[in-house]
Amino acid sequence: MQKILSFDFVKLFMALLIVAIHVYPFSSVSSELDFFFTHVFCRIGVPFFLMTTGYFVLSRAMKDSSVLKKYTIKILKLYGICILLYLPVNLYAHSFQGMGVLEILQAIFLNGTFYHLWYFPALLLGMWIVYFLATRVKKRGLVFGIVSILYLIGLFGDSYYGAILNVSLLQQFYDVIFNVFDYTRNGIFYVPIFLYLGYWIGNSSFKKSYKYYFIWFVVFVAFMMIEGGILHSLGWQKHDSMYLFLIPVMYCFFAGVQKISTGNYKTLRSISTVIYIVHPLVIIGVRVLARITNLSFLVTQSVVNYLAVAFFSVLVSVLFEKCRQRFHF
């Protein structure tokens, strides 16, 4: 089978899906279409980022513990830059007003100081959890069982939250969790299973063709759409990041991509990361642009709004990468 695709190209596509989650591209067209695209299908974006980390970083860390330590320092530095980058917006929005020291520490180390920055502390916490489990529990099936149980716990604090509302003991349990975390989409319940799936795929051999996995990907996406629709109609969703069928969806998609992946495009990888980091600033920028130019359709027309945010997010990321390469920072 000829290798025709790179993980880095797919990662760029996933970054644009994550942008869509925060823009709602079809909201002015159809609320139903927007829900199924934004709140269901686009939820494959973040897991793919996590699985590539498991595939590339965790696999090397299992052989050399210094890899994980260096990666931790790298992510902490990046997260620190992100905190400073969004600090003016936080201050303008009075995000920290009324927060005590403990709440600020929770925001920094657990929940993120801006709505998309939860990813970095969650990534690091999840990485160390999976590394601890994988280095101490020798059976891969048992490790997968543990991270699956964690995901299942998270599931009932996310899309299946309505199922436990009338069970007082469970509700009290989740109330404790929500006193610490904003969501169960975090480094304990959400991140580990996707990191481990990426690691598992990276250390397994697959005899089936890429077509086999992509066919099953489409089938499981259809089931996830049905699942999302039922949960939405029941009004059970506290959040909508976690679905039961998201696990087989990501397994099949990642396995299929792995079968045909080739090349290592660091520039593209960096651009994808920058898109993730800067797109909320671009969302704000597009709103300001619409206001000062009286081009209200840039905001009111959801498809146009998404295209504008996606375009400027890519543009800013490409320019940043060119500057980084030119000035070596």
Side-chain angles (χ1 to χ4, degrees), residues 223-288:
F223 279 116
M224 189 168 73
M225 291 289 185
I226 295 170
E227 178 187 15
I230 292 172
L231 294 170
H232 183 62
S233 65
L234 290 172
W236 279 9
Q237 293 176 297
K238 182 179 177 67
H239 199 241
D240 47 46
S241 291
M242 305 173 72
Y243 293 101
L244 194 60
F245 279 102
L246 184 58
I247 305 303
V249 163
M250 295 313 304
Y251 178 84
C252 292
F253 183 73
F254 201 88
V257 172
Q258 188 261 354
K259 292 288 289 186
I260 57 176
S261 66
T262 184
N264 186 2
Y265 302 90
K266 291 184 178 179
T267 297
L268 201 58
R269 193 182 317 151
S270 176
I271 288 171
S272 300
T273 301
V274 177
I275 288 172
Y276 182 87
I277 292 170
V278 305
H279 77 270
L281 288 177
V282 175
I283 292 172
I284 297 171
V286 169
R287 290 173 183 169
V288 172

Side-chain angles (χ1 to χ4, degrees), residues 281-301 304-305 308-309 312:
L281 288 177
V282 175
I283 292 172
I284 297 171
V286 169
R287 290 173 183 169
V288 172
L289 178 64
R291 187 179 301 120
I292 63 178
T293 60
N294 291 321
L295 299 175
S296 60
F297 69 90
L298 286 174
V299 175
T300 58
Q301 299 298 316
V304 175
N305 182 228
V309 171
F312 286 115

Side-chain angles (χ1 to χ4, degrees), residues 295-319:
L295 299 175
S296 60
F297 69 90
L298 286 174
V299 175
T300 58
Q301 299 298 316
S302 60
V303 176
V304 175
N305 182 228
Y306 171 70
L307 292 175
V309 171
F311 172 77
F312 286 115
S313 295
V314 172
L315 179 63
V316 168
S317 301
V318 170
L319 292 175

